[in-house]
Amino acid sequence: MSHKSVAPVPLQDSFSSIRVALYSHDTCGLGHLRRNMLIARTLRRELLANVLIISGIREAGAFPLEQGIDTLLLPALSKRGNLDYRPRRLDLSLKEVVAVRSGAIGAALHAFDPDVFIVDNVPRGAVAELDPVLRSLRPRHSVYCVLGLRDVLDRPEQVHREWEASAALAAIREHYDAVWIYGDPSVYDGAAEYGFPADVHRKLQYTGYLNPLAHQPPHKETTMRSDEQRDVCVVGGGHDGSQIALAFAAASAETSRPGLVLTGPFMSAEHLRELQSATRTDATVVVRRFVPNPLPLYRGAHNVVSMGGYNTLLEVLAVGKRPLVVPRIEPRCEQLIRAGAFERLGLVDVLHPSMLTPATVRQWLDVRHESPPDTPARIAMDGLDKIVEMVRHIGLNDTHSLQSTVV
């Protein structure tokens, strides 16, 4: 594809007009949205880009947005299995809701007219809703389309089945200029594990992991003093983290330190009531639903117990903690694979869900766990730097330089 002509001089003026659209299908949890928010803030801060985030998560409005960043909120979908999508709130058929979402995305992109369109994780979007959008972008020869993938997708055999069923590789061949893997091949080499065909492999570029502390302005939010030495448990979006939260709460109640459970906005009302009931008689264990910026909590924590999501692990590692990871093992093994890779580097401790009890958690909490001082040397965490440079080259209409920025 050719690209829009963006005047390279002066740089400050040229990048004030760069437009980036980020698509996050977000049918389960907050991980994709939070990763896109991080990328958006970085591109705005470093390149003065105007960024439109497209998402079906209404909680997107709970995240602070800087000048130059905004969101387009879509009717929500939920996912019960790997490919089992349902309307989350509207009493309409899936086909009708997808038509509304697809139409809204297409109209927004036509009006916004981005220089770069970054699609998170799903080449054709949820329920192939991006098919007409991607087809409409191609004739315009003005949008550089990127598929952004997290470090680990799932077991290779499962990825092959799903991508074959969804014609994902055909979509990558036809519509995408590049595939960015937000990871480090020395930690997990997804390109090798998934055996992408040669033509797709040529589009792959590892960025390194996305360091949540890089390029970010200091946050004013301080939800916990560093001298409180509180143990913290975080279970991602919360839809499947109740057993971890309950085990942590029981273990934390037996220690001499206060504990905090972040349930996530998607923990069911039933499981939330169960957790609140279990902690009601112990004032030392606090339950909170959602915190837009959990980094102060992790930084001041004595220890952190978490699931194995991409964003959470990088946030905890970035502030110097070595978490106990209880990974999700179904419907995907992504978290189990990632946790194992990080454990082999000595960055995390892993507790398989089958071994989860208050006693096993308590035993781990009794010892203070810090990340190794050479953590940055063990894992490439310069992904945001690489993304800034790649978008900079796209803006300067230099695709040859773009292809050579990441080895």
Side-chain angles (χ1 to χ4, degrees), residues 271-340:
H271 288 150
L272 182 61
R273 285 194 298 270
E274 183 181 6
L275 178 62
Q276 290 171 332
S277 176
T279 58
R280 187 169 292 123
T281 59
D282 185 0
T284 64
V285 181
V286 176
V287 177
R288 295 187 65 177
R289 189 74 161 162
F290 175 71
V291 175
N293 173 35
L295 287 169
L297 295 178
Y298 304 152
R299 184 180 287 109
H302 179 268
N303 280 318
V304 178
V305 177
S306 75
M307 296 182 71
Y310 181 99
N311 304 291
T312 298
L313 289 193
L314 291 175
E315 288 169 346
V316 175
L317 291 175
V319 299
K321 305 300 179 182
R322 176 182 176 134
L324 176 65
V325 181
V326 187
R328 177 185 298 125
I329 58 174
E330 57 182 26
R332 296 191 181 279
C333 291
E334 163 221 339
Q335 292 194 2
L336 181 64
I337 296 169
R338 178 182 300 110

Side-chain angles (χ1 to χ4, degrees), residues 137-317:
L137 293 179
R138 185 168 185 176
R140 292 160 60 189
H141 301 295
S142 61
V143 184
Y144 194 91
C145 292
V146 177
L147 175 65
L149 300 177
R150 59 177 181 257
D151 57 340
V152 182
L153 301 178
D154 203 339
R155 295 189 187 278
E157 58 272 19
Q158 181 64 28
V159 173
H160 293 160
R161 282 195 294 268
E162 290 186 12
W163 281 37
E164 182 177 359
S166 64
L169 292 175
I172 294 173
R173 291 186 178 103
E174 182 176 0
H175 299 300
Y176 289 92
D177 298 285
V179 179
W180 296 348
I181 300 179
Y182 306 134
D184 177 352
S186 69
V187 179
Y188 185 81
D189 191 351
E193 292 289 336
Y194 303 133
F196 293 122
D199 57 340
V200 172
H201 195 280
R202 284 191 291 270
K203 298 184 179 186
L204 296 180
Q205 301 168 70
Y206 283 96
T207 67
Y209 285 95
L210 308 185
N211 184 348
L213 298 182
H215 300 282
Q216 303 308 309
H219 290 277
K220 295 181 180 180
E221 179 184 1
T222 54
T223 54
M224 181 178 70
R225 298 193 315 272
S226 61
D227 61 349
E228 284 187 292
Q229 293 300 290
R230 188 183 295 270
D231 290 319
V232 174
C233 175
V234 55
V235 292
H239 67 280
D240 59 353
S242 61
Q243 293 307 306
I244 301 171
L246 287 167
F248 170 87
S252 184
E254 297 177 3
T255 71
S256 59
R257 295 179 305 280
L260 172 68
V261 180
L262 286 179
T263 69
F266 302 125
M267 182 173 285
S268 70
E270 177 184 356
H271 288 150
L272 182 61
R273 285 194 298 270
E274 183 181 6
L275 178 62
Q276 290 171 332
S277 176
T279 58
R280 187 169 292 123
T281 59
D282 185 0
T284 64
V285 181
V286 176
V287 177
R288 295 187 65 177
R289 189 74 161 162
F290 175 71
V291 175
N293 173 35
L295 287 169
L297 295 178
Y298 304 152
R299 184 180 287 109
H302 179 268
N303 280 318
V304 178
V305 177
S306 75
M307 296 182 71
Y310 181 99
N311 304 291
T312 298
L313 289 193
L314 291 175
E315 288 169 346
V316 175
L317 291 175

Side-chain angles (χ1 to χ4, degrees), residues 21-43:
L22 294 161
Y23 166 85
S24 177
H25 71 292
D26 274 313
T27 55
C28 181
L30 294 173
H32 302 288
L33 174 62
R34 293 181 64 210
R35 186 160 54 247
N36 281 329
M37 288 282 188
L38 181 60
I39 293 171
R41 290 196 298 267
T42 300
L43 292 177

